[in-house]
Amino acid sequence: MRVFPTPKRPLAFLILLGLGLASRFAAFSVEPFGPQRVNLDTGVTTLPQGGILTDNESGLRLKGSYVEYKEGSFVRARGVELLSQGEAFLAQTLEHDIPKQEARFTGLTFSNPDFKGLQAERALALFQEEVVVLKGRVRAETPLLQAETLVVDWKNRQALALGSFTYQEGRATLKGQGASARLYLRFQGGRVQATTKVPEEASRLARLASRLP
C-alpha cells in the first residue's frame, strides 16, 4: 500500500467535498485489487483491476473498478462508488483535473443533505466556485424534480434548474417549458423553497451552466 500527501487540492476525494459528502483530506492511501503499474517516464500509476482510495484522517473510502492517477495532475476512474453507510455516490466514470480544480462525471448518482437520488448523464464539479453542473436527464427523488440542466451551489444550499423542468411538492406542481424556463430552489431548515422568480444572486449559476457543454 502506497501512502503519500495530496497537493493543495486533494485528489479524488475533493470530488466528494464538491458534492457535500466530505471534508478536505490531508493524505490518502491506495489499496490496489490487483497489479499496480507505475510508468516512470510519465509518473502515471494505473490500477487495471481497480482499487480503493482511503482518506487517512477520516477513513472515507472510494472504490473504482479501474483507477489511474498522477500526483498533482489527475485522477481517472471507472465504476466509482463511495463505500459509506451515510452517503451515496456512484459514477460510471470520473476525471479529476487537479490544476483546473474540476472533475467530470458520467452516469452520476448521489445523495447529500439536500438531494436524495439525484441523477444525471453527465456532470461537472467546479471546486473554486463550489458548484456542480448536471446535464442530461437530470432527476431527483427528493425533492421530486426532473430537469434538462441543474446547477447546485453546495456552499449556499441553493440550486437553479434551466430549461424544461417539472417539480412536485405534495399536490403542487411547477412546470417550465423551453430554454428560457427557470426554477430556483433554496434549502433551509430542512425545507425546500421553490420559485420560478429567480433572484439576482442566482444569475452566476446560470452563467456557470455553460461550463458543461
Side-chain angles (χ1 to χ4, degrees), residues 113-147:
D114 296 328
F115 288 98
K116 303 301 179 187
L118 182 57
Q119 302 179 32
E121 292 179 342
R122 61 192 192 279
L124 172 65
L126 303 168
F127 302 121
Q128 286 186 320
E129 290 82 4
E130 300 182 285
V131 159
V132 59
V133 182
L134 304 102
K135 291 188 176 183
R137 297 184 181 180
V138 180
R139 61 188 63 220
E141 297 174 4
T142 305
L144 195 54
L145 172 69
Q146 296 183 24

Side-chain angles (χ1 to χ4, degrees), residues 186-198:
R186 176 172 288 279
F187 302 86
Q188 191 172 21
R191 303 190 65 177
V192 186
Q193 299 174 345
T195 179
T196 55
K197 297 180 180 180
V198 180

Side-chain angles (χ1 to χ4, degrees), residues 3-190:
V3 180
F4 51 86
T6 60
K8 182 177 179 181
R9 287 280 182 170
L11 300 182
F13 289 105
L14 188 53
I15 297 164
L16 305 181
L17 167 65
L19 299 177
L21 297 175
S23 58
R24 295 189 179 185
F25 290 74
F28 67 84
S29 304
V30 179
E31 179 185 345
F33 292 155
Q36 182 169 326
R37 300 170 182 167
V38 181
N39 187 317
L40 298 179
D41 293 328
T42 63
V44 175
T45 299
T46 302
L47 312 180
Q49 296 180 19
I52 296 175
L53 306 182
T54 302
D55 171 57
N56 295 332
E57 188 170 317
S58 71
L60 188 68
R61 304 164 73 218
L62 188 70
K63 181 176 74 173
S65 61
Y66 172 91
V67 179
E68 65 178 21
Y69 59 88
K70 181 178 181 180
E71 187 174 355
S73 181
F74 66 83
V75 173
R76 300 181 186 127
R78 297 196 294 263
V80 180
E81 177 184 1
L82 176 66
L83 302 177
S84 170
Q85 295 181 349
E87 298 88 8
F89 176 94
L90 299 170
Q92 292 176 0
T93 66
L94 75 82
E95 182 167 350
H96 178 24
D97 187 316
I98 296 166
K100 288 184 178 181
Q101 300 185 39
E102 297 180 359
R104 294 179 181 271
F105 310 85
T106 63
L108 177 65
T109 300
F110 76 91
S111 297
N112 69 7
D114 296 328
F115 288 98
K116 303 301 179 187
L118 182 57
Q119 302 179 32
E121 292 179 342
R122 61 192 192 279
L124 172 65
L126 303 168
F127 302 121
Q128 286 186 320
E129 290 82 4
E130 300 182 285
V131 159
V132 59
V133 182
L134 304 102
K135 291 188 176 183
R137 297 184 181 180
V138 180
R139 61 188 63 220
E141 297 174 4
T142 305
L144 195 54
L145 172 69
Q146 296 183 24
E148 294 180 0
T149 299
L150 183 68
V151 184
V152 180
D153 178 343
W154 65 78
K155 179 182 179 181
N156 297 307
R157 300 187 66 187
Q158 58 182 343
L160 181 66
L162 301 94
S164 299
F165 67 84
T166 301
Y167 173 82
Q168 293 178 262
E169 184 175 353
R171 296 182 179 180
T173 299
L174 293 175
K175 289 187 176 183
Q177 297 292 328
S180 63
R182 299 288 185 272
L183 176 69
Y184 175 74
L185 303 174
R186 176 172 288 279
F187 302 86
Q188 191 172 21

